[in-house]
Amino acid sequence: MAEEKSCSSASSCSRESCEGCPSKQNPQSFLVDANVYSEIKKVIGVVSGKGGVGKSMVAASMANMLASKGYRVGILDADITGPSIPKMYGLKGPAMADDEGIYPMLTENDIKVMSVNLMLPDEESPVIWRGPVIANMVKQFWSDVIWGELDYLLVDMPPGTGDVPLTVFQSLPVDGIVIVSSPQDLVRMIVKKAYNMAKTMNIPVLGIVENYSYLKCPDCGKEIAVFGESHIEEIASELGTEVLGKMPIDPEFAKAADGNFAAFTNQYLDKAMEVLRK
């Protein structure tokens, strides 16, 4: 009797011959078990195709809005080499830990936060790690952190489509993602990269938030398209998703992000709130 073989690569077998492949009938799951003291209802990823578009601002804004409605919320700062969430909320480590796991720190508005900056001796120390080490740290934030009971865990991911987004999509039970972009010329290509990665991993795309959409003149109120005219509605329509908000350039955002973000309300993400609460 011939030995049954599994398919090792797409180039070694056709679609027809793959139908009986054991690896296809029983796909391997890479999901990591959460900490035994964690009970999380929804996991929402916040992603961007490129850096500098205000992804952490959007993640923290959505967390604030959910917390203000009485939901139990956490933020997992998966941007290991560029963590900003603790600074925004004025949190300083070290986080506490015992034999049962690591305890997230609590913001003034009762949002649980875990970030590598809460585990370093100095928040300005660089994280000079290779990709696999960074990816393992993200998995530890899921498996070793005692999140307790949460309605929402927002995962602030690093930009791009590299090791960490891949690890999050494979290892965590992500219910959907929000893509953050800006109205620059390359945005269509960048958004599509993030969108296509999510779709490849079978992760639902809840919608797109555009940051830096315009600057409102303080004297006349005219909206100035500093980074070019927005095409976000056109892009969202093309991808079959929704625009969840358009945020302007506003000095108040930067002021709030300098350690006082717990008291900040982002009035431009009402649509995002509707989608998250479905």
Side-chain angles (χ1 to χ4, degrees), residues 97-251:
D98 59 23
D99 292 340
E100 295 177 343
I102 306 167
Y103 294 87
M105 298 194 75
L106 203 62
T107 68
E108 291 182 5
N109 56 338
D110 295 328
I111 294 171
K112 295 180 179 179
V113 172
M114 178 47 61
S115 170
V116 71
N117 257 19
L118 300 178
M119 304 183 72
L120 297 175
D122 180 357
E123 66 178 11
E124 296 181 357
S125 297
V127 178
I128 309 174
W129 298 343
R130 295 191 183 275
V133 178
I134 295 173
N136 282 332
M137 175 60 74
V138 172
K139 287 193 281 189
Q140 281 188 275
F141 282 169
W142 175 256
S143 62
D144 294 357
V145 172
I146 302 172
W147 292 103
E149 294 184 2
L150 292 181
D151 297 305
Y152 292 89
L153 178 65
L154 302 180
V155 184
D156 181 17
M157 289 198 267
T161 55
D163 285 345
V164 172
L166 178 61
T167 296
V168 171
F169 288 163
Q170 289 185 322
S171 304
L172 276 60
V174 180
D175 295 285
I177 66 164
V178 173
I179 300 175
V180 183
S181 70
S182 62
Q184 293 164 309
D185 289 341
L186 289 174
V187 71
R188 186 185 303 267
M189 179 187 72
I190 298 300
V191 168
K192 282 186 175 181
K193 283 181 179 290
Y195 179 90
N196 289 335
M197 180 182 187
K199 285 301 182 182
T200 300
M201 305 297 294
N202 296 316
I203 304 295
V205 177
L206 304 179
I208 309 173
V209 172
E210 184 180 75
N211 196 15
Y212 311 132
S213 292
Y214 57 88
L215 171 67
K216 182 172 287 189
C217 175
D219 296 323
C220 66
K222 179 180 178 181
E223 295 182 359
I224 305 167
V226 177
F227 293 107
E229 295 299 326
S230 172
H231 298 283
I232 198 67
E233 284 88 359
E234 177 186 334
I235 296 169
S237 177
E238 185 178 336
L239 296 176
T241 189
E242 298 184 73
V243 176
L244 301 182
K246 297 177 69 174
M247 295 164 47
I249 300 171
D250 190 334

Side-chain angles (χ1 to χ4, degrees), residues 57-79:
M57 170 72 69
V58 171
S61 294
M62 294 193 300
N64 280 5
M65 296 175 78
L66 289 166
S68 70
K69 300 295 183 182
Y71 293 103
R72 298 163 297 183
V73 185
I75 303 177
L76 191 163
D77 189 356
D79 195 351

Side-chain angles (χ1 to χ4, degrees), residues 29-50:
S29 173
F30 294 96
L31 289 177
V32 175
D33 290 335
N35 185 280
V36 294
Y37 299 104
S38 298
E39 185 177 335
I40 301 167
K41 293 181 180 179
K42 283 189 177 182
V43 179
I44 306 296
V46 184
V47 309
S48 65
K50 64 185 292 295

